Amino acid sequence: MGSSLAAIGSNVTSCCTASGVLCNNGTITNLGLQSLGLKGSIPTVLANLTSLISLNLNRNQLTGSLPAELGKLPLEHVAFDSNLLIGPIPESWKSWSNLKDFGISNNSVNGAFPMNSGVWPGLHYLNLMNTDIDAPLIKINAHFDSCYMNKKICAKPELLPVDCVTTCKFVNSGSSVAWASGILLTLLVQ
């Protein structure tokens, strides 16, 4: 049986000694809670962790929509890959001005990617594989080290950031290898 994520934030002092939780002066800054069998929705109470810069919830069984409240956090690293999440990416997430890594692959998220010029300028890693996200991404003013797009987005290469176009060419051809910013990367194309 999976664990619940809702307990985080109820007793911050004891949480700082928990596995996967990093603190600075008694304040939670990083949650690395991947592959723990966590179930349920992502609790909005996480927005109370005002110093949180890294949130890794990869490979759990989290369900429901993405909480808009997380837009209040100073997140730099967000990893929600391989869960059971649904719905659009909240507009409020545009406020993550220091975001460097964003992964939400293998979820049923959809809708437009809430981007415009100047949003997420420090973004270096983006993974939208196996999602239903559809949006013009060219407005992202970032230089990617790694960029993984879904087939829906790759069907519109004129809307992609330049760093992502080559990756899409390989994904659309069915190859299992892609180039991103000159670095050879292995993809798991489904």
Side-chain angles (χ1 to χ4, degrees):
M1 177 184 276
S3 302
S4 171
L5 188 57
I8 297 291
S10 60
N11 186 345
V12 175
T13 306
S14 66
C15 288
C16 286
T17 60
S19 178
V21 178
L22 294 177
C23 295
N24 185 3
N25 295 323
T27 303
I28 296 175
T29 56
N30 297 53
L31 290 177
L33 305 175
Q34 63 275 14
S35 303
L36 294 176
L38 298 174
K39 294 182 179 183
S41 60
I42 299 172
T44 58
V45 71
L46 290 178
N48 295 335
L49 302 175
T50 57
S51 297
L52 191 65
I53 59 170
S54 182
L55 181 56
N56 185 340
L57 301 175
N58 283 349
R59 297 179 308 278
N60 281 294
Q61 298 170 29
L62 298 172
T63 58
S65 59
L66 303 166
E69 293 83 356
L70 296 183
K72 297 188 241 178
L73 298 174
L75 288 167
E76 296 177 13
H77 310 280
V78 175
F80 293 161
D81 303 288
S82 301
N83 278 288
L84 304 168
L85 301 168
I86 60 170
I89 295 173
E91 269 301 304
S92 64
W93 290 12
K94 292 195 299 188
S95 65
W96 293 337
S97 58
N98 295 318
L99 193 67
K100 295 177 178 114
D101 308 300
F102 183 76
I104 198 155
S105 66
N106 302 309
N107 281 288
S108 295
V109 292
N110 57 29
F113 202 66
M115 295 293 99
N116 55 29
S117 185
V119 173
W120 299 358
L123 192 65
H124 292 281
Y125 174 85
L126 178 63
N127 190 346
L128 304 176
M129 294 280 291
N130 300 317
T131 66
D132 270 335
I133 294 172
D134 182 26
L137 298 174
I138 200 164
K139 294 180 180 178
I140 295 177
N141 185 23
H143 173 73
F144 293 98
D145 295 324
S146 301
C147 180
Y148 305 98
M149 298 290 126
N150 63 36
K151 291 182 181 183
K152 195 176 208 179
I153 294 172
C154 287
K156 303 172 189 171
E158 71 278 4
L159 301 178
L160 289 168
V162 174
D163 295 341
C164 298
V165 172
T166 306
T167 302
C168 279
K169 287 180 184 173
F170 282 96
V171 170
N172 281 339
S173 70
S175 174
S176 62
V177 177
W179 284 95
S181 299
I183 300 170
L184 185 63
L185 299 170
T186 302
L187 295 179
L188 299 174
V189 180
Q190 293 184 353

